[in-house]
Amino acid sequence: MATKTVDLVVIGTGSAATAVAFPCRAAGWTVAVIDSRPFGGTCALRGCDPKKVLVGAAELVDWFDRMRGKGVQAQSAGIDWSELMRFKRTFTDPVPQRREASFAGAGIATYHGRARFVGPTSIQVGEDRLDGRRIVVATGAAPMTLPIPGAEHLTTSDRFLELDELPSSLIFVGGGYISFEFAHLAARVEARVTVLHRGSRPLERFDPALVEQLVRRTRELGVDVQLDTEVTEIRKADDKMVVTASSAGKARELEGDMVVHGAGRVPEIEDLDLGTAGIEYGKQGVLVNEYLQSRSNPAVYAAGDAAAGGPPLTPVAGYEGEIVAANLLHGNHRQVDYRAVPSVVFTIPPLAAVGLLEPQAREAGLRVRTHRDTTSSWYSSRRVAERSSGFNVLVEEGSERILGAHILGPHAEEVINLFALAIQFGLTAKDLSSLKYAYPTHASDIWYMLGE
């Protein structure tokens, strides 16, 4: 067994890990990175980047369908799934080699294998042991284990994004990002899709009225969205999957070609033997202070989905990695700030949010003025024949600060960034409404969203 001593060991090679490793190496530290999967992390290989490639094709098909009879005359548009997946792989396949080469080019030692702690600052990976002056846990997230008989038959989102052929019928367990995004995609490939969610409201982090609109739009696509429905068993029967679900005290069976796990992800830290290093953790990840330093082992930091605290989003992971690098190199001085983190569900149309929901603002004792409307009759929606769109913008009375913004509709994923900018830098409703927007653009709707 070989033992190597370095200044920093980073577990993971995604956005958070990269944002830590390179600055520390540039500062002269000896650095090692470890990953049990191909280098690159979830977003680049198994998450947001490949997903958006597929969504882009679905958007084109949907736009075509909306505009048929409004000047678009071709008879049909469709998706060749296998060809689309080949195109997707042109983005994902080169990532591991490029990422590993970039680490090696910077003088960062690379290790493949599953890491586990064997001491407060010692990591075992395969036959090698790494003793680090500092350790950063940036392992990302994995699908949560579901206590359902037959859960081993579930297809993960990782696997879904690698399917060479899309089954003709799919059942999604859970009503979060993954289920809705993939359901919208599969529906545009003309698959029969069912979403089973045990709660009364899916996408709980988003504005309820806009979620309700999105659910209606999803059902109009032909997706069978069943709420207040709990999956109690999954089993394989010949060449089909059978799901037993319970609703209102009654059990029934649903049949499909594939059952997909869409019930959430959790930090991928369970097998790191954190207890051996005296690292406290919970369901949300490694317990850290405001500097992203472990509360119980000061030599250890955590960032991204592995750290408890921030929302599990790629930009947050990169941001937290920068915070950790700065605190490692210059002592704890930078703290996290999650006030202005936009989040998007890449359905068609997309649903986006930043800042507070109305109940959160009122619970915080803030005086709130809301600007809410459905916008399917607005020019920006009508010209692309989008029937489902709306917004809710929260403004603090007195200061006129933007407290939150929630948008459903075309290009919501882009417009939300302007509201994030306003929240981050304390811009007021007057500041935003006085901006001279290019017109007609979706961003120019902000003037109307603020009641001007």
Side-chain angles (χ1 to χ4, degrees), residues 62-74 376 381-387:
D62 188 71
W63 196 329
F64 180 95
D65 288 341
R66 295 196 313 267
M67 295 301 293
R68 186 181 291 114
K70 300 175 180 65
V72 175
Q73 297 180 0
S376 57
S381 291
R382 285 188 60 209
R383 71 178 177 82
V384 294
E386 179 54 71
R387 303 181 306 277

Side-chain angles (χ1 to χ4, degrees), residues 102-183:
S102 68
F103 284 129
I108 297 170
T110 59
Y111 291 83
H112 292 271
R114 195 64 190 166
R116 63 182 179 87
F117 281 88
V118 291
T121 60
S122 296
I123 303 293
Q124 186 77 36
V125 53
E127 296 299 316
D128 297 305
R129 173 173 168 147
L130 296 171
D131 293 332
R133 187 165 57 88
R134 296 286 186 269
I135 309 290
V136 174
V137 180
T139 47
M144 69 170 60
T145 300
L146 300 180
I148 300 172
E152 67 274 11
H153 297 303
L154 286 165
T155 296
T156 65
S157 58
D158 297 4
R159 173 64 184 135
F160 182 92
L161 288 170
E162 290 296 333
L163 292 174
D164 291 316
E165 294 183 4
L166 188 70
S168 59
S169 61
L170 301 103
I171 300 172
F172 290 88
V173 178
Y177 288 78
I178 290 171
S179 290
F180 271 81
E181 291 174 341
F182 288 174

Side-chain angles (χ1 to χ4, degrees), residues 173-206:
V173 178
Y177 288 78
I178 290 171
S179 290
F180 271 81
E181 291 174 341
F182 288 174
H184 272 240
L185 172 61
R188 267 79 180 198
V189 192
E190 300 184 352
R192 180 168 56 86
V193 183
T194 302
V195 175
L196 306 177
H197 182 60
R198 66 179 181 178
S200 59
R201 181 181 134 210
L203 299 169
E204 295 179 355
R205 297 182 181 181
F206 292 83

Side-chain angles (χ1 to χ4, degrees), residues 347-401:
T347 46
I348 308 168
L351 175 64
V354 67
L356 300 176
L357 288 162
E358 189 173 341
Q360 294 172 327
R362 299 199 185 281
E363 287 170 9
L366 299 170
R367 292 186 302 152
V368 181
R369 183 175 73 253
T370 61
H371 300 264
R372 175 191 292 277
D373 203 353
T374 55
T375 57
S376 57
S377 64
W378 288 19
Y379 172 77
S380 53
S381 291
R382 285 188 60 209
R383 71 178 177 82
V384 294
E386 179 54 71
R387 303 181 306 277
S388 299
S389 59
F391 69 91
N392 185 17
V393 177
L394 281 59
V395 178
E396 184 178 30
E397 292 184 353
S399 74
E400 292 298 295
R401 290 184 307 142

Side-chain angles (χ1 to χ4, degrees), residues 330-349:
H330 307 294
N332 287 347
H333 67 288
R334 285 191 61 184
Q335 300 182 15
V336 290
D337 177 4
Y338 302 120
R339 288 175 302 163
V341 179
S343 181
V344 180
V345 184
F346 285 99
T347 46
I348 308 168

Side-chain angles (χ1 to χ4, degrees), residues 32-52:
V33 295
I34 306 168
D35 207 325
S36 60
R37 300 184 184 186
F39 281 25
T42 298
C43 181
L45 296 174
R46 305 175 293 275
C48 37
D49 285 350
K51 171 191 70 182
K52 196 64 165 66

